[in-house]
Amino acid sequence: MRLHVTLTVVLACHLLSCLPVAGKQLPFAAQTSTSPTSHSIKVAIIGGGASGSSAAYWLSKAQEKLDFLGRSSEGVDIHVYERDSVGGRARVIYPYDDPQRYESVELGASIFADVNRNMVRFAKDFDLPTDAKLDEDGSITAIWDGQQFVIEDLSDGWWSSTKLFWRYGYSPVTTRSVVNDLKKAFMQLYSPRWMHERKAASNETQSGFPWSTIGALSRSLKLDEAAASDAHSWFYGKGVSQLFVEEIIEAATRVNYGQNTDSIHGLGGGVSLAASGAAGIRGGNYRLFQELLVRSNARLHLAEHGEVTGVVRFANFAEADAPKWWVGTAAGTGGLYDAVLVATPWHNAGITLMNTEAVIPVDKYVHLHVTLLATNASHPKAKYFGRTEGSDVPTSILTTYEAVRRAGQKRERDGDGGDGEEDEPVSPSRSWRSLLSRNVRQAAAMKSPTLDFNSLSYLAKLPPRRPSSSQEHLVKIFSPSRLSDEQLDELFGLERIGWTYRQEWDAYPELRPRRSDGEDGGDFAAVEPDEGLFYLNAMEPLVSTMETSTVSSRNAVALLLSKWYGQEFVVGSRCSWREEADDDDDAKEGWDGWGCQAA
């Protein structure tokens, strides 16, 4: 049943909403944006993370095109509401809370890959340094299963590692080919011709851009098969060995998405392996999103003025057929808008939709715990990993859940948690070898594999706090639950830890297998739940990265612009297609605008 609220009452309650917002604001030039003209279109963006800030930027590029066409009176007035801080899940802190002595460290979204074309081009265009420290020099990766290291000495060139060949056969080569195919499919999003070329005698593009559903986008890129199956089955079906899936691919899905290969979809598994050329913005990736907002000339509302609590639909305006939307905040301020872009995960948005039958489904998110610490231990304790005191221990540790999974399956089969055999009386006639074998089996059954964390990484050596201080290392740990002081003591020794910081949040959605068929877009939230109301996080259950947030926002903005100004405004007309840019041409002219060369 719809809840009807009169516009007169709402406007009376929020009479001051047209004034510049008060409260905490960043020192942006965006705060002094000029008053909109009477013909401008007002857009509210809820969320200042990757999708929200990039949406503001894409909208500002539409304003540039309108200005070029001599249609400045049809401008776009952009308002961004952010209740916390710009950057969303891209957030930094400083060791010992000391930004004067130490460089920042990412809590959330840490890296982007060389195939993340928008992120790479933004960083280049904005002259942002991409040399953030990602791990200690010379660190070697190993994979831990809760009982033993299944493989050690992995390096960046592990695809062609001889050690992997002896253990996994041709699976590394097969996997690289599968992942490259996914990359090629995804890279079509940066090809203007693929994105914009029209169907014969039609105004529609052959690719379907802009896509009204995430299912249509997935099918157009031919990613629907990978998204519909769990990663274990999908990679195995592509000729990858079960052992490689269980150890190497699962290690990648656990560190990147906190999920195992039997629950995450195949596309999520592929994305986890496509991190070549990993980079981060020195000082924090949030700087890129902050720059997007600055360049968009958006009006930024922060703190209680940026905490949106309700969105109300109003229809039947005399001057327009389309509905308008009231956005109200915790401060009692707000505004009336022609369109609203929700750019924050809906499950914790805290927003009430009123006077609309639109439903935004609540997706489950992985609740992740991040532990950062400074320690003078050059590596974790050997004893924790079953090694003798003084033994070397890797400083970059990924994990596989397979040993834990099999132990659980065995306990279920045995029923009593033992080895399935009844204890036999010891007979003098039994050989000592038989007794030893039995004791070994029983000891193994008693020590079940356990995984306290998803990954553990030594990120950097820290500058000394005092001239006499021993060398300290910055360590980041991802885990499914909070690591207690007792667990940290087992890993490093509390006496060797000088600083600890714990953070928990819903880091990314559960990338469970989803269908992409049907006109409704399959198992994904609607991109436009109601006319003029857009949900930018609808793409996250397909692929969840900073890059795909910019892709999702561009698609939603393109849908908006197509309705306001027509399809030709978005994709261009009478395009003279030039040769496709080389892969390393990340700053081709017009890529971030609207028209023939934009993609």
Side-chain angles (χ1 to χ4, degrees), residues 375-440:
T375 177
N376 60 15
S378 59
H379 55 70
K381 282 185 176 180
K383 182 180 179 182
Y384 180 92
F385 298 97
R387 295 186 168 180
T388 58
E389 190 76 24
S391 299
D392 287 336
V393 176
T395 54
S396 177
I397 303 172
L398 307 181
T399 59
T400 169
Y401 199 72
E402 183 57 24
V404 179
R405 189 162 41 230
R406 289 183 178 177
Q409 293 169 350
K410 186 176 186 304
R411 284 194 298 270
E412 288 182 4
R413 289 196 304 269
D414 296 342
D416 58 1
D419 59 5
E421 299 179 8
E422 295 184 4
D423 289 341
E424 301 176 21
V426 178
S427 167
S429 61
R430 293 184 63 184
S431 70
W432 67 270
R433 289 187 178 85
S434 176
L435 289 172
L436 179 61
S437 175
R438 180 187 173 197
N439 289 338
V440 168

Side-chain angles (χ1 to χ4, degrees), residues 555-576:
N555 180 64
V557 170
L559 286 172
L560 264 178
L561 298 179
S562 294
K563 292 181 180 181
W564 289 342
Y565 307 122
Q567 181 83 326
E568 287 191 0
F569 183 93
V570 172
V571 301
S573 61
R574 298 185 297 277
C575 295
S576 177

Side-chain angles (χ1 to χ4, degrees), residues 531-553:
E531 186 176 2
L533 177 68
F534 294 83
Y535 184 50
L536 274 56
N537 289 66
M539 189 174 177
E540 278 217 307
L542 180 69
V543 188
S544 178
T545 65
M546 292 184 288
E547 176 70 13
T548 49
S549 291
T550 71
V551 169
S552 178
S553 67

Side-chain angles (χ1 to χ4, degrees), residues 310-566:
V311 176
V312 188
R313 183 185 193 272
F314 293 103
N316 303 322
F317 276 79
E319 68 273 19
D321 295 329
K324 290 184 181 290
W325 296 88
W326 177 266
V327 173
T329 72
T333 57
L336 192 64
Y337 295 92
D338 297 283
V340 175
L341 279 63
V342 179
T344 187
W346 189 249
H347 74 286
N348 64 2
I351 300 172
T352 301
L353 289 178
M354 293 188 288
N355 206 35
T356 175
E357 294 179 351
V359 175
I360 299 178
V362 176
D363 284 301
K364 291 184 178 180
Y365 273 61
V366 174
H367 195 70
L368 186 73
H369 290 253
V370 183
T371 305
L372 288 166
L373 57 90
T375 177
N376 60 15
S378 59
H379 55 70
K381 282 185 176 180
K383 182 180 179 182
Y384 180 92
F385 298 97
R387 295 186 168 180
T388 58
E389 190 76 24
S391 299
D392 287 336
V393 176
T395 54
S396 177
I397 303 172
L398 307 181
T399 59
T400 169
Y401 199 72
E402 183 57 24
V404 179
R405 189 162 41 230
R406 289 183 178 177
Q409 293 169 350
K410 186 176 186 304
R411 284 194 298 270
E412 288 182 4
R413 289 196 304 269
D414 296 342
D416 58 1
D419 59 5
E421 299 179 8
E422 295 184 4
D423 289 341
E424 301 176 21
V426 178
S427 167
S429 61
R430 293 184 63 184
S431 70
W432 67 270
R433 289 187 178 85
S434 176
L435 289 172
L436 179 61
S437 175
R438 180 187 173 197
N439 289 338
V440 168
R441 293 199 312 273
Q442 289 178 336
M446 289 175 62
K447 187 183 183 304
S448 297
T450 57
L451 286 174
D452 293 325
F453 57 86
N454 296 342
S455 64
L456 182 155
S457 301
Y458 274 58
L459 298 182
K461 293 180 179 179
L462 296 174
R465 284 181 288 161
R466 294 178 298 274
S468 59
S469 298
S470 58
Q471 178 64 64
E472 285 192 313
H473 306 263
L474 179 64
V475 180
K476 177 189 281 188
I477 307 173
F478 292 154
S479 60
S481 57
R482 184 183 187 275
L483 291 181
S484 66
D485 287 346
E486 290 76 12
Q487 289 171 305
L488 294 181
D489 187 38
E490 292 178 1
L491 275 165
F492 304 98
L494 287 180
E495 74 282 358
R496 307 200 68 172
I497 298 175
W499 168 81
T500 306
Y501 182 92
R502 293 179 174 91
Q503 171 78 35
E504 57 179 293
W505 53 14
D506 294 340
Y508 17 67
E510 293 182 0
L511 301 179
R512 59 176 176 79
R514 295 168 186 257
R515 64 180 183 85
S516 301
D517 58 326
E519 294 185 1
D520 62 351
D523 297 329
F524 297 94
V527 176
E528 189 177 8
D530 199 350
E531 186 176 2
L533 177 68
F534 294 83
Y535 184 50
L536 274 56
N537 289 66
M539 189 174 177
E540 278 217 307
L542 180 69
V543 188
S544 178
T545 65
M546 292 184 288
E547 176 70 13
T548 49
S549 291
T550 71
V551 169
S552 178
S553 67
R554 185 179 184 88
N555 180 64
V557 170
L559 286 172
L560 264 178
L561 298 179
S562 294
K563 292 181 180 181
W564 289 342
Y565 307 122

Side-chain angles (χ1 to χ4, degrees), residues 37 39-41 62-63 66 70-77 564-565:
T37 67
H39 296 92
S40 66
I41 297 172
Q63 179 68 67
L66 289 169
R71 297 164 58 183
S72 299
S73 62
E74 302 176 61
V76 185
D77 183 29
W564 289 342
Y565 307 122

